[in-house]
Amino acid sequence: MGAGGRGHHGDDHAHGLVAARPTGGVMEHTYTYLFCDLRTDAVLAELPLRDVRFSTELNGIGTLSATVPYTDDTIPLDPDTATRPARTAVWVDRDGVIVWGGIVWTRELVEGGRAIQAAEFMSYYQQRTVRTTLSTDQSLITNPAYVPEGQWIYGDQRYMVWSLLRYAAVQPYGDIGVSISNIAGEPATGIYRVATYFGYERPVIYDAIAALATADDGFDFGVECYWTQPANNTPPARVKRARVWYPRRGRQSAAESGLVFSSGGPEPSILDYDWPENGVEVATDVTALGAGTGEARLNSSAQAADMLAAGYPLLERVTTYSDVLDQARLDGTARADLAAATQADTQPTFQVVADADPVYGSYQVGDVALVVIAPDERMPTGRRSELRILSIETAVTESGGERITLKCGAV
């Protein structure tokens, strides 16, 4: 989740909704909700929220929904200005650790207040496009200098992400304070891509990054949110930092993470679970279509030989990438699509106890955990699997309690 404790808010108020204390074995936690100017991050108000639910997604965009109560206490804080859609950010602080940050995008009138919906900071790049052609191929551009001075983008996939985010930030009014310097400072992945983003097509920056990430031998990406550590009388500051994890985010085995979620024993960590299996989403043969038309159109096929040999029938799927001009990139995309399609039938969900081992905050999306289901009426023989955490959803009760739901997938 977040990284780094803050110790105090500095110029922000340190009080929250509830004090952390045990109640019958269940901890209540201090949740504080800070609403800030999106471009400057200046605090506009600290507001209480009701019916809070927020999620973090692996290679996706988590969301937050909540209700801002309009009361004699909150109206003087000008909640209308503090929650203005597309203009303000909301940060969720739990016991001094930022666990979520994003942009308020919509709100609506409800009885006694306003219902707001927000999405993680990566959602900003769904609203940004490439307006000037950027390419790894100098023959397709007029200014061969590297971004941001020119149109040339770096070929390594990590630095391609940096190029796209840097391009977005240098446009007038296009900087919302997402730090990208660490992307440039981390080692190259050694995976080089050929890509051109034609300005006249206005490609969406988030879509371009997501396409790179899902290619064969791609990466994980997201925006981390946390407090800096106070030092030399400097108060902690909020940070939103873009990351590229290669080859993958998180700890890649249960042995490495030490995470075990169990429905059995004297102190089970799993309260409830659902383990659907959906063969409709499975494919054993994937064809990816690239740029071009008719018989000249680029195409690439990948087949799951191991599944076919094990008895699965031919299950075909076609995916389309009209902007892919390079055969090698399309080949990698087909392989990546096949890998996703062969694992599509495994996405169980688990409602887990926040304060039981493993405690909330000790795991993040991308981590691999061992899940142990004790024999019950739904699974008479039980089940034991290593699964990757794809999504963490948190529902906060008015007393400060929590309900945590994990969506998982195959490793």
Side-chain angles (χ1 to χ4, degrees):
M1 302 297 291
R6 61 185 173 122
H8 58 85
H9 276 300
D11 62 342
D12 305 325
H13 299 297
H15 67 273
L17 299 181
V18 292
R21 60 187 184 277
T23 56
V26 177
M27 293 290 293
E28 295 178 353
H29 297 271
T30 302
Y31 271 87
T32 304
Y33 308 102
L34 296 173
F35 291 83
C36 302
D37 181 272
L38 179 58
R39 286 172 54 192
T40 68
D41 203 43
V43 176
L44 301 173
E46 177 184 325
L47 297 171
L49 296 179
R50 297 195 313 255
D51 306 321
V52 180
R53 185 181 296 271
F54 60 90
S55 66
T56 302
E57 308 287 338
L58 180 66
N59 298 334
I61 296 173
T63 60
L64 175 144
S65 62
T67 298
V68 181
Y70 276 36
T71 66
D72 291 343
D73 291 330
T74 60
I75 289 175
L77 301 175
D78 193 7
D80 271 357
T81 298
T83 63
R84 186 173 298 162
R87 181 74 172 78
T88 54
V90 56
W91 301 80
V92 179
D93 178 294
R94 175 187 186 263
D95 296 339
V97 175
I98 290 176
V99 293
W100 197 90
I103 301 168
V104 178
W105 286 113
T106 67
R107 68 182 178 190
E108 58 185 307
L109 298 175
V110 294
E111 185 176 355
R114 301 288 188 274
I116 62 169
Q117 295 80 36
E120 290 180 303
F121 287 113
M122 205 71 203
S123 65
Y124 176 65
Y125 301 103
Q126 291 180 311
Q127 309 297 324
R128 296 298 309 279
T129 63
V130 176
R131 301 169 64 90
T132 301
T133 297
L134 306 178
S135 181
T136 55
D137 185 348
Q138 286 192 337
S139 70
L140 298 175
I141 55 180
T142 57
N143 185 342
Y146 278 117
V147 169
E149 288 76 17
Q151 300 169 259
W152 196 19
I153 55 178
Y154 293 92
D156 184 273
Q157 60 183 353
R158 183 190 300 279
Y159 305 143
M160 289 180 77
V161 175
W162 179 92
S163 297
L164 290 165
L165 295 179
R166 180 67 174 142
Y167 170 85
V170 300
Q171 305 309 307
Y173 315 110
D175 188 356
I176 63 166
V178 174
S179 172
I180 62 171
S181 59
N182 62 289
I183 297 178
E186 292 177 343
T189 66
I191 306 300
Y192 294 87
R193 308 291 186 192
V194 176
T196 299
Y197 305 104
F198 292 106
Y200 61 82
E201 293 182 343
R202 296 293 195 270
V204 175
I205 289 175
Y206 175 84
D207 293 346
I209 293 172
L212 290 169
T214 56
D216 187 38
D217 209 8
F219 52 86
D220 291 333
F221 68 97
V223 175
E224 292 182 323
C225 298
Y226 59 93
W227 289 103
T228 61
Q229 294 291 340
N232 300 323
N233 296 319
T234 301
R238 292 169 294 277
V239 176
K240 38 186 180 279
R241 179 176 69 164
R243 291 290 309 273
V244 169
W245 292 270
Y246 179 80
R248 300 210 301 181
R249 180 179 187 177
R251 294 164 289 184
Q252 298 309 302
S253 69
E256 180 184 354
S257 71
L259 299 171
V260 180
F261 294 96
S262 175
S263 67
E267 295 185 2
S269 54
I270 297 176
L271 297 174
D272 197 7
Y273 68 91
D274 187 22
W275 208 305
E277 295 173 297
N278 184 1
V280 174
E281 300 299 323
V282 174
T284 55
D285 185 293
V286 171
T287 297
L289 301 179
T293 58
E295 295 297 327
R297 187 168 193 175
L298 286 181
N299 69 85
S300 180
S301 294
Q303 209 170 64
D306 55 340
M307 293 180 67
L308 294 169
Y312 279 86
L314 182 64
L315 302 168
E316 296 175 295
R317 178 169 303 161
V318 178
T319 55
T320 303
Y321 302 92
S322 299
D323 61 332
V324 175
L325 307 172
D326 178 66
Q327 184 66 52
R329 181 182 171 192
L330 192 65
D331 292 343
T333 299
R335 290 192 296 269
D337 287 346
L338 178 67
T342 56
Q343 299 175 345
D345 66 334
T346 304
Q347 283 206 348
T349 58
F350 307 94
Q351 185 176 327
V352 301
V353 182
D355 295 303
D357 186 27
V359 297
Y360 177 63
S362 67
Y363 47 86
Q364 64 175 338
V365 291
D367 279 342
V368 173
L370 176 64
V371 176
V372 181
I373 302 298
D376 60 21
E377 64 279 4
R378 288 182 287 174
M379 284 195 180
T381 61
R383 193 157 184 171
R384 184 184 182 94
S385 298
E386 283 200 12
L387 298 170
R388 194 174 189 211
I389 300 174
L390 305 180
S391 170
I392 302 172
E393 181 182 84
T394 305
V396 183
T397 66
E398 291 189 24
S399 64
E402 299 154 321
R403 294 189 301 274
I404 311 298
T405 303
L406 308 180
K407 179 184 289 185
C408 298
V411 176

